[in-house]
Amino acid sequence: MYKGRSLCQKKNAAERTREPAHLQVENEMTEPVNVLIVGAGAIGGLYGAILKRAGARVGLVVRSEYDVIKSDGVKITSPLGDLSYQPDGVYRSAEEVDAAPDYLVVTLKVVDGIDRVAAIKPAVGPNTTIVLIENGIDIEPEIAEAFPDNRLISALAFVAVSRVGPGSIDHKAYGQLTIGNFPSGAGPEVHHFAELLEQGGVPGVVSDRVVTERWRKAVWNAPFNPVSVLAGGADTRTMLQTPGGEYAIRAMMEEVCAAAKAAGHPLPDDIIEMNIASTHKMPPYYNSMALDYLNKRPMEVEAILGNLVRAAERSGVEVPRLKTAYALIKMLQANLAKQQ
Amino acid sequence: MYKGRSLCQKKNAAERTREPAHLQVENEMTEPVNVLIVGAGAIGGLYGAILKRAGARVGLVVRSEYDVIKSDGVKITSPLGDLSYQPDGVYRSAEEVDAAPDYLVVTLKVVDGIDRVAAIKPAVGPNTTIVLIENGIDIEPEIAEAFPDNRLISALAFVAVSRVGPGSIDHKAYGQLTIGNFPSGAGPEVHHFAELLEQGGVPGVVSDRVVTERWRKAVWNAPFNPVSVLAGGADTRTMLQTPGGEYAIRAMMEEVCAAAKAAGHPLPDDIIEMNIASTHKMPPYYNSMALDYLNKRPMEVEAILGNLVRAAERSGVEVPRLKTAYALIKMLQANLAKQQ
């Protein structure tokens, strides 16, 4: 695991020349790092606490939980201890934020009906690094295109955390973020952000091929998430123990690997075995899309499956099972919408 | 359409020599044909009425609706007029039947938990012709193996009929049965049964390749039925109008055609176009499996999809989309069973 070095440390001239001008200015700041988290929820609330522990000033843009967080802060139980905190600013929208943050962390769900660009634009300054802690494949281009002059960090969370009530979060286990620049590389801001995470108590793993990491995670996510929903909101054990279930999941994982390879992200040969074996070892588990479905919340269908199917088609790779699952889940969404 | 000739007519010696001995005896009967329908419901109740109109004696084996049918008979509204009738016998099980029928018509659902062989065995005599009016592929072998010495008619219903209350049936449209011997051919009993249907007011279409007819029907049924369920109980319009939906259905239909061909039942080249076009023309329609799912009744998953997938595998034909849909629907069933 790479341990980032704080950018607040003195640097030699050679290192400086590799950094953009605005980052050099930032390096010389003595004030705390300013972080704004847009789309709090369980993930945003938790990483706000982590960054606060690292000494950052942390503001939250929250909508439905504004009142409770404004008055009582964020309550978090965690294996790391009591992570509850009062944010340094609580806002109903990014328009209320007066100073552009150093890091703008996006934890919005990637679903139809949420305009991520519009949600963050008022708070993005010229020196703001945008950090996407979001699920899926190809979720970065929309942001990269809207903010071509900003540094962009793509982050994958490996964490068990859930919202247990208004402003109240239960961090159950893990917490690692794997981070890198989009589409590749790992600039100083990536290492700096990783150091903040480490200081805050969770692993910050730097990868200069974060898109490959997204494909690696998709091997599990792209089959299990939609399949759980199509099976009526099934847990992992139900899916794997049904006759034909494990075979179907494996066959879909093979399609993900073929699509990943064609997109320039070859994955290890044993990745399917590893995923299946570890899932067998887990207690029965409801994934994020299953929980969204069972709780009648919007599902991240495009981020988790649709973008992947389209990437495969651009590469000329056949993914008949994933494409079928995608069509089925789109029909399910259409049917659910009709019933409302 | 072939119009069967009644077996009650005098036959010449040449014809007689091609018929089994017990059929010759039957030919000389002057008494009405005896029909027993096992598993009444909408289909059984309706064809009981049709056969009664043709002059047959019709007994029904019914379970949940025994009392109401015993006292009030079967009520049927139909474009053919009022088809309501009092059966010549109403039984709780085949064990109560005293004389083996000429035709034992099976309209039981083909689902786990219904033992069709046990349900009919007590009423099957040496001269009984068994008629299966049931959905699906490969639903005959179990019966053929259990009753190797009985003639077996396989029948496909093209009918819009539904149960509207205890002992009460609404026949909306159509009514044709396509019938033939299993696995192929069309003996005199097939023609005789077709004639009874015609006399009763519905088309009786004789086919000497009824298994091919089953594959033909599967082109629609095997995709649309499970897809409707996986989409949460969707109607045909929702399925076809969802982006990617028609494509997925067509791709699954292609797999059915490939499996049919490999099983020795090549289908016309334009069959997919015809099915898609006619479905677009229908009003939004909930198919039988969708209705079973929405009403929490057992679904004919094996008859409609599982047997087809297994037939494809026996032939070495890849049906990735159908196999995925089959695994998904088995997981859904497992998940539903878990919730009970």
Side-chain angles (χ1 to χ4, degrees):
Chain A
M1 185 181 310
Y2 180 94
K3 300 254 181 172
R5 190 190 51 189
S6 168
L7 294 186
C8 298
Q9 291 172 341
K10 290 261 178 219
K11 308 227 163 176
N12 63 37
E15 278 182 307
R16 270 195 199 156
T17 57
R18 281 184 284 115
E19 294 169 11
H22 56 262
L23 198 62
Q24 292 179 32
V25 173
E26 192 182 29
N27 292 349
E28 282 150 26
M29 293 192 307
T30 52
E31 292 188 10
V33 173
N34 274 304
V35 173
L36 182 71
I37 298 180
V38 178
I43 292 275
L46 173 64
Y47 286 102
I50 299 294
L51 294 165
K52 191 116 183 82
R53 273 164 55 113
R57 286 174 50 86
V58 173
L60 302 184
V61 176
V62 290
R63 208 151 41 174
S64 60
E65 301 191 329
Y66 175 85
D67 289 330
V68 63
I69 291 177
K70 180 84 178 173
S71 72
D72 303 332
V74 180
K75 307 291 174 204
I76 309 182
T77 56
S78 166
L80 299 172
D82 182 0
L83 300 188
S84 302
Y85 65 109
Q86 187 64 45
D88 299 289
V90 184
Y91 313 98
R92 289 183 199 274
S93 83
E95 285 173 21
E96 296 177 2
V97 178
D98 42 15
D102 301 312
Y103 292 100
L104 191 157
V105 178
V106 186
T107 58
L108 292 164
K109 281 178 77 174
V110 183
V111 295
D112 293 347
I114 294 188
D115 183 339
R116 296 183 296 153
V117 171
I120 66 173
K121 193 162 199 167
V124 175
N127 295 337
T128 299
T129 295
I130 301 169
V131 183
L132 306 179
I133 310 182
E134 293 172 304
N135 272 328
I137 289 284
D138 285 342
I139 56 117
E140 305 96 338
E142 182 188 10
I143 305 297
E145 285 159 25
F147 305 99
D149 300 325
N150 289 83
R151 286 161 290 169
L152 180 55
I153 296 178
S154 183
L156 287 164
F158 297 85
V159 62
V161 61
S162 56
R163 181 183 168 283
V164 290
S168 192
I169 293 167
D170 182 26
H171 175 210
K172 294 187 188 74
Y174 317 115
Q176 175 184 311
L177 284 192
T178 298
I179 62 177
N181 287 121
F182 177 80
S184 64
E189 72 281 5
V190 176
H191 293 288
H192 179 224
F193 196 80
E195 174 147 324
L196 290 175
L197 293 168
E198 297 276 348
Q199 286 170 0
V202 300
V205 178
V206 172
S207 168
D208 57 6
R209 293 183 300 174
V210 71
V211 173
T212 302
E213 296 305 317
R214 287 197 175 271
W215 279 99
R216 184 193 299 272
K217 197 170 176 186
V219 172
W220 198 97
N221 273 340
F224 271 110
N225 275 280
V227 166
S228 68
V229 171
L230 293 167
D235 63 40
T236 44
R237 184 166 295 167
T238 302
M239 289 186 267
L240 285 183
Q241 290 190 348
T242 298
E246 181 175 324
Y247 175 87
I249 294 281
R250 282 177 181 268
M252 292 167 97
M253 287 181 169
E254 280 164 18
E255 293 183 357
V256 177
C257 290
K261 188 174 178 187
H265 305 281
L267 299 173
D269 288 341
D270 63 351
I271 193 166
I272 294 174
E273 275 323 310
M274 299 284 283
N275 270 284
I276 293 289
S278 67
T279 310
H280 274 297
K281 280 185 208 141
M282 288 181 202
Y285 170 70
Y286 292 95
N287 57 51
S288 68
M289 204 182 278
L291 292 172
D292 284 340
Y293 172 71
L294 292 168
N295 291 293
K296 302 187 194 303
R297 295 186 301 241
M299 299 183 284
E300 297 188 307
V301 172
E302 302 307 330
I304 290 175
L305 185 57
N307 291 351
L308 194 159
V309 169
R310 284 182 284 273
E313 295 199 324
R314 282 196 302 274
S315 307
V317 173
E318 292 280 331
V319 289
R321 296 165 187 85
L322 294 173
K323 198 171 173 182
T324 300
Y326 179 49
L328 290 170
I329 208 158
K330 296 298 285 181
M331 293 187 217
L332 176 63
Q333 287 185 306
N335 197 35
L336 291 172
K338 227 185 86 191
Q339 288 163 15
Q340 282 177 343
Chain B
M1 184 182 311
Y2 182 94
K3 300 257 182 169
R5 191 189 52 192
S6 169
L7 294 185
C8 298
Q9 292 173 338
K10 290 260 178 216
K11 307 224 166 180
N12 63 36
E15 280 181 304
R16 270 194 197 158
T17 56
R18 283 185 283 116
E19 294 169 11
H22 56 261
L23 196 63
Q24 292 180 31
V25 173
E26 192 182 28
N27 292 349
E28 283 152 26
M29 294 190 306
T30 53
E31 293 189 10
V33 174
N34 274 306
V35 174
L36 181 71
I37 298 180
V38 178
I43 292 276
L46 173 64
Y47 286 101
I50 298 295
L51 295 164
K52 190 115 184 85
R53 273 164 54 113
R57 285 176 49 87
V58 174
L60 302 185
V61 175
V62 292
R63 208 152 38 174
S64 60
E65 303 191 325
Y66 175 84
D67 289 330
V68 64
I69 291 176
K70 180 85 178 173
S71 73
D72 302 334
V74 180
K75 306 292 174 204
I76 309 182
T77 55
S78 165
L80 299 173
D82 181 1
L83 300 188
S84 302
Y85 65 108
Q86 187 64 46
D88 299 288
V90 184
Y91 314 97
R92 291 184 197 272
S93 83
E95 285 173 21
E96 296 177 3
V97 178
D98 43 14
D102 301 310
Y103 293 100
L104 190 155
V105 178
V106 186
T107 58
L108 292 163
K109 280 177 79 174
V110 183
V111 294
D112 294 346
I114 294 186
D115 183 340
R116 296 184 296 155
V117 171
I120 67 174
K121 193 161 198 168
V124 175
N127 295 338
T128 298
T129 295
I130 301 169
V131 183
L132 306 178
I133 311 182
E134 293 172 307
N135 271 329
I137 290 284
D138 283 343
I139 57 117
E140 305 96 338
E142 181 188 10
I143 305 297
E145 285 158 24
F147 305 100
D149 300 326
N150 289 82
R151 286 160 292 170
L152 179 55
I153 296 178
S154 183
L156 286 164
F158 297 84
V159 63
V161 61
S162 56
R163 181 184 169 282
V164 290
S168 191
I169 293 167
D170 181 26
H171 175 211
K172 294 186 188 74
Y174 317 115
Q176 174 185 308
L177 284 191
T178 297
I179 63 176
N181 287 121
F182 176 81
S184 63
E189 72 280 7
V190 175
H191 293 286
H192 178 224
F193 196 79
E195 174 147 324
L196 290 175
L197 293 169
E198 298 275 347
Q199 287 171 359
V202 300
V205 178
V206 171
S207 168
D208 57 7
R209 292 183 301 174
V210 71
V211 173
T212 302
E213 296 305 316
R214 286 197 175 270
W215 279 98
R216 184 194 298 271
K217 198 171 177 186
V219 172
W220 198 98
N221 274 341
F224 270 110
N225 275 282
V227 166
S228 68
V229 172
L230 293 167
D235 63 41
T236 45
R237 184 166 295 169
T238 301
M239 289 186 268
L240 285 184
Q241 291 190 349
T242 297
E246 180 174 326
Y247 175 88
I249 294 280
R250 281 176 181 268
M252 293 167 95
M253 287 180 167
E254 280 164 17
E255 293 183 359
V256 177
C257 289
K261 188 175 178 186
H265 305 282
L267 300 174
D269 288 340
D270 63 352
I271 193 166
I272 294 174
E273 276 321 310
M274 299 284 282
N275 270 284
I276 293 288
S278 67
T279 310
H280 274 297
K281 279 184 209 142
M282 289 181 199
Y285 171 69
Y286 291 95
N287 57 52
S288 69
M289 204 184 278
L291 291 172
D292 284 341
Y293 172 71
L294 291 169
N295 291 294
K296 302 186 193 306
R297 296 186 300 241
M299 299 183 283
E300 297 187 308
V301 172
E302 302 307 330
I304 290 176
L305 185 58
N307 291 351
L308 194 159
V309 168
R310 284 182 283 273
E313 295 198 324
R314 282 196 302 273
S315 308
V317 172
E318 292 279 331
V319 289
R321 296 165 187 86
L322 294 172
K323 197 170 172 182
T324 300
Y326 179 50
L328 289 170
I329 208 158
K330 296 299 284 182
M331 292 189 218
L332 176 64
Q333 288 185 306
N335 196 34
L336 291 171
K338 227 186 85 191
Q339 287 162 18
Q340 281 177 346

